């Protein structure tokens, strides 16, 4: 896959997985971020035969985790699922006990 930022040299992205694009230029960062969000047309994505690809179909752009809207809506189910799969029995029992204690405290405070 070829990633092209207009007026700069092309970059080849090999394989799947997380790709990190780093820049010290705030202008380039803004251009790339807004292009991934379909607000600007400053980057082009193409396959190895230079056929243009759709950015939204080929990239799951996150950007800045603190500034990205609705990031939890998109990934929270995956995070919770992984957490539960890797949780051992002892910690699971502690969580259940803490939940029941919280539930009884709330019920007592309501009465």
């Amino acid at each position: 896959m070829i990633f092209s930022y207009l007026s700069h040299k092309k970059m080849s992205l090999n394989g799947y997985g997380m790709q990190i694009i780093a820049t010290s230029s705030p202008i380039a960062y803004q251009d790339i971020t807004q292009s991934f969000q379909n607000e600007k047309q400053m980057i082009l994505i193409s396959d190895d035969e230079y056929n243009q690809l759709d950015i939204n179909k080929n990239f799951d752009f996150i950007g800045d985790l603190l500034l990205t809207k609705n990031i939890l809506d998109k990934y929270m189910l995956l995070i919770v699922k992984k957490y539960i799969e890797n949780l051992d029995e002892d910690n699971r029992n502690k969580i259940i006990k803490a939940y029941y204690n919280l539930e009884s405290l709330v019920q007592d405070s309501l009465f």
Side-chain angles (χ1 to χ4, degrees):
M1 182 178 292
I2 300 169
F3 176 90
S4 299
Y5 174 51
L6 298 183
S7 76
H8 288 73
K9 293 180 181 179
K10 68 178 182 178
M11 294 179 267
S12 294
L13 303 177
N14 299 323
Y16 296 96
M18 184 170 36
Q19 304 288 327
I20 299 172
I21 301 169
T23 180
S24 60
S25 168
I27 295 170
Y29 177 77
Q30 181 180 10
D31 287 344
I32 292 170
T33 302
Q34 288 178 341
S35 295
F36 275 112
Q37 296 170 344
N38 287 330
E39 295 175 8
K40 275 190 176 180
Q41 298 295 322
M42 294 297 292
I43 59 174
L44 297 173
I45 307 297
S46 58
D47 59 14
D48 293 335
E49 288 81 37
Y50 293 96
N51 298 317
Q52 190 168 352
L53 302 172
D54 184 18
I55 293 172
N56 291 330
K57 290 181 181 176
N58 291 282
F59 287 92
D60 185 15
F61 179 74
I62 296 173
D64 191 330
L65 292 174
L66 297 176
L67 299 177
T68 302
K69 299 174 187 172
N70 302 326
I71 190 77
L72 290 179
D73 295 342
K74 192 172 189 178
Y75 295 105
M76 185 53 81
L77 290 175
L78 294 171
I79 293 169
V80 170
K81 182 179 175 184
K82 272 294 195 203
Y83 177 76
I84 290 172
E85 286 175 356
N86 296 323
L87 192 61
D88 63 354
E89 187 176 348
D90 187 40
N91 285 323
R92 182 178 294 125
N93 292 335
K94 288 179 184 177
I95 291 171
I96 291 171
K97 184 177 179 183
Y99 172 74
Y100 286 135
N101 287 338
L102 175 65
E103 190 177 52
S104 64
L105 284 173
V106 169
Q107 286 178 354
D108 290 343
S109 68
L110 291 175
F111 291 121

